Amino acid sequence: MSKRSTIKTINIMRLGLIPLLIIALSGCAGKYRQVSEENRIVLSEGAVMRGIFDKGREAVQYEYILNGNSLKLNGRAYARGNIATLDVRVLFVGEDGYRINEANLYYSGYRLYSPYPVHNAFQKEFTLPEGTSSITFDFYVEYRTSPDK
């Protein structure tokens, strides 16, 4: 194998590694992205706390009780419109505002046919990741583009 051929092979391998590196780093960046202060729900221990996290077309009506590092979270997820899929996650946020981890809260499945508001109850218990001081919610909603089933 000539020197020129070897250099060409090495350059091709380097170019092939760039997309893999970008994908790997973007996954890490998402986990630790910052959550704006107005979207954080600061956790308080002891009493039952209630609220509504409203993002316009999507909302979560929640109630939680925090006991040490155990969080019991109940409520309903709402999505307005003609919904095909609804996925709601709870994000655990540190005091610095960065997302520490996340957990699935509700998943409707695919092709949920409903032209009316979708109301989905959830009841979960989580062990909080170390350093969690607040939570927030994240939605993935796929809206149907056609009204027929």
Side-chain angles (χ1 to χ4, degrees):
M1 189 180 229
S2 72
K3 186 174 181 177
R4 178 181 243 169
S5 177
T6 304
I7 292 172
K8 187 175 181 180
T9 302
I10 290 171
N11 285 336
I12 290 172
M13 288 175 51
R14 281 186 196 161
L15 290 174
L17 291 175
I18 290 173
L20 293 176
L21 184 60
I22 290 170
I23 291 168
L25 291 176
S26 66
C28 294
K31 183 174 181 182
Y32 298 106
R33 76 174 181 220
Q34 193 162 25
V35 176
S36 63
E37 195 167 339
E38 64 268 7
N39 288 330
R40 292 183 228 159
I41 301 163
V42 178
L43 297 173
S44 299
E45 192 163 359
V48 175
M49 305 298 285
R50 293 177 178 88
I52 297 174
F53 183 82
D54 193 346
K55 295 304 274 181
R57 290 181 79 176
E58 303 89 30
V60 172
Q61 181 180 8
Y62 65 88
E63 106 177 4
Y64 76 83
I65 186 160
L66 178 63
N67 187 8
N69 69 341
S70 177
L71 179 70
K72 290 182 182 177
L73 187 59
N74 306 312
R76 289 189 177 277
Y78 298 89
R80 297 165 190 89
N82 197 350
I83 307 298
T85 300
L86 174 62
D87 184 11
V88 182
R89 292 174 301 282
V90 60
L91 308 181
F92 303 104
V93 182
E95 200 161 312
D96 59 0
Y98 284 92
R99 180 169 74 175
I100 297 170
N101 209 342
E102 66 180 55
N104 288 331
L105 199 55
Y106 179 82
Y107 178 64
S108 68
Y110 186 65
R111 295 286 184 207
L112 173 68
Y113 299 114
S114 178
Y116 306 104
V118 176
H119 308 283
N120 299 289
F122 58 85
Q123 187 172 28
K124 300 276 185 159
E125 187 168 350
F126 303 100
T127 300
L128 294 177
E130 189 174 328
T132 301
S133 65
S134 59
I135 60 171
T136 191
F137 300 98
D138 191 27
F139 302 90
Y140 170 77
V141 182
E142 184 178 324
Y143 291 95
R144 291 188 41 81
T145 56
S146 64
D148 59 334
K149 297 179 183 181

